[in-house]
Amino acid sequence: MQAEPLRYCALPNQTAQVDTIEYRRVSSSAQAADDKSSLSDQGAANAAEAARRGRHIGLTFIEPGVSGATADRPEFQRMIAFCEDHPRPKKSSGYVFALNDSRFGRFDDVDEAAYWRHRLNVAGWIVQFAESDDIQHPTARAVVRTINSAQSADYRRNLSANSRRGKRGTATQGYWVTKAPFGYRRMVVVPVERSGHVLENGVPKAKDERIKLAFGPDREVRIVRWMFAAYNSGRHSITSITRRLQKLDTRLAWSRSFVHRVLSNPAYAGDVVGGRIRHDYHADDFVPKRDKSEWYFKLNAHPPLVSRELFDCIQRRLAAQSKHTAAPEKAYALSG
């Protein structure tokens, strides 16, 4: 059995003579699980292609569960660093094997994929794909790779768009798709034969199941209702609520940000709201919250933990407090 290639560490004396490496990647942690074969399949394909070229993979970089949309990936950058730390002479180029262009990276910008391949090539390392890359003519190979990169980028964008449409459709029907908020649990409502079955935190739902929220343990329900009542009374701030909870229940890591998220979560008024967060990491100015006109929602989708009147009142207080504590324009209010 072939030994697993070494992993790159800082100043690796044992890897100084390595001239063939590989990069493996999957987009989600589920794909990287022990019962999945994607990562191992990529390794087998890379090893076979290396052997066909008379090479032996001496070093591997594995990215389990990381999107390929950008080059901001730890193992990808370690691979780049290794190649540039160990440049190869043109007469004895090194090889970087990856299963295909999408495993190397589904970059939004086609030119970015070409940039990283060129950067490796400057260091004397040739990127070689184990699939659909057996083209000898350099110009033809460059054209095919550009087309493959564009197709990979389109696939990722279409996948993301389909995912957003699916989440929108699910949310507007009142179904819940993420982890249950504190004080709630997920309850199966479809299919009918499993309706009413409650899923504890961390338990995945089946593919054919649709989920709505139901009340969680009484202790959690009481804590949530106390948080809203305490803040609404005017006698407590988010900080004092956090401190009180830290004393009452030491099993949880209470923080101001957690308390704020609870008080501002429309799920506690019985609503399912989606589309609030913008995930455009390539924008010049990253804006985490979308305008309310872009939100999608289902009112009264599940039993509320607090009344709508109380929830709306809390939102007005939070908004007023946010304006009250806005940061000054300068880092130091008295500078200058």
Side-chain angles (χ1 to χ4, degrees):
M1 180 182 296
Q2 182 179 346
E4 181 72 14
L6 296 168
R7 300 296 297 277
Y8 177 49
C9 301
L11 303 176
N13 296 327
Q14 72 273 31
T15 62
Q17 302 304 316
V18 170
D19 64 356
T20 306
I21 66 177
E22 69 164 334
Y23 176 74
R24 310 181 207 168
R25 183 189 67 82
V26 290
S27 298
S28 67
S29 55
Q31 292 174 305
D34 293 338
D35 61 339
K36 303 293 183 181
S37 59
S38 181
L39 287 173
S40 59
D41 286 349
Q42 290 179 42
N46 291 340
E49 181 62 20
R52 193 175 74 84
R53 295 174 179 272
R55 297 278 184 142
H56 171 75
I57 295 175
L59 191 61
T60 191
F61 297 85
I62 299 178
E63 208 91 65
V66 178
S67 170
T70 73
D72 188 18
R73 294 169 258 152
E75 289 300 300
F76 185 84
Q77 290 299 327
R78 280 160 59 85
M79 177 190 69
I80 299 294
F82 172 82
C83 293
E84 294 183 335
D85 289 344
H86 302 83
R88 302 289 305 176
K90 290 297 182 183
K91 293 183 179 180
S92 181
S93 298
Y95 272 87
V96 177
F97 285 96
L99 180 66
N100 50 40
D101 192 89
S102 67
R103 295 305 94 197
F104 187 74
R106 283 197 177 107
F107 299 101
D108 287 334
D109 188 345
V110 174
D111 292 336
E112 187 173 1
Y115 163 78
W116 290 109
R117 292 198 299 268
H118 174 70
R119 185 163 160 177
L120 290 169
N121 190 55
V122 169
W125 292 83
I126 299 172
V127 177
Q128 184 68 51
F129 300 135
E131 292 181 348
S132 306
D133 198 33
D134 195 15
I135 301 174
Q136 299 303 317
H137 194 282
T139 303
R141 184 167 62 246
V143 170
V144 171
R145 284 182 171 181
T146 300
I147 294 173
N148 288 340
S149 294
Q151 290 175 335
S152 294
D154 283 342
Y155 173 81
R156 195 190 72 81
R157 284 191 289 268
N158 291 335
L159 194 65
S160 179
N162 290 337
S163 176
R164 288 195 298 271
R165 280 194 292 270
K167 288 180 179 179
R168 177 185 290 269
T170 300
T172 53
Q173 295 178 71
Y175 298 130
W176 195 261
V177 296
T178 59
K179 179 182 176 182
F182 180 79
Y184 279 110
R185 290 296 185 271
R186 295 165 299 147
M187 184 178 70
V188 177
V189 293
V190 176
V192 176
E193 59 268 22
R194 294 196 292 276
S195 179
H197 177 64
V198 175
L199 302 175
E200 286 299 324
N201 293 333
V203 177
K205 73 176 187 67
K207 289 184 178 180
D208 64 337
E209 291 178 340
R210 293 291 180 268
I211 303 296
K212 286 197 173 185
L213 292 180
F215 290 160
D218 289 342
R219 178 178 175 79
E220 291 186 16
V221 170
R222 289 196 302 269
I223 289 175
V224 170
R225 287 173 172 165
W226 175 82
M227 291 166 68
F228 277 89
Y231 191 73
N232 188 56
S233 70
R235 295 191 299 272
H236 281 281
S237 65
I238 290 179
T239 299
S240 66
I241 291 174
T242 304
R243 290 172 179 169
R244 178 70 65 87
L245 291 172
Q246 288 171 342
K247 294 179 181 178
L248 286 175
D249 194 336
T250 58
R251 295 171 298 177
L252 297 175
W254 300 101
S255 66
R256 292 184 75 258
S257 61
F258 179 83
V259 172
H260 189 278
R261 286 197 301 272
V262 169
L263 295 176
S264 59
N265 191 343
Y268 293 108
D271 303 336
V272 174
V273 180
R276 293 190 297 168
I277 306 300
R278 186 186 304 277
H279 294 288
D280 183 6
Y281 298 102
H282 301 287
D284 292 334
D285 296 313
F286 175 68
V287 182
K289 287 191 176 181
R290 295 180 184 272
D291 185 78
K292 285 189 176 182
S293 62
E294 299 181 72
W295 297 4
Y296 46 89
F297 53 87
K298 174 69 173 179
L299 301 180
N300 303 314
H302 52 261
L305 271 175
V306 299
S307 70
R308 189 169 300 279
E309 293 75 17
L310 175 58
F311 182 81
D312 290 342
C313 183
I314 294 293
Q315 303 322 296
R316 290 192 291 271
R317 283 205 62 201
L318 289 173
Q321 185 66 21
S322 177
K323 293 179 181 178
H324 215 35
T325 58
E329 292 184 6
K330 293 184 179 181
Y332 300 97
L334 301 180
S335 63

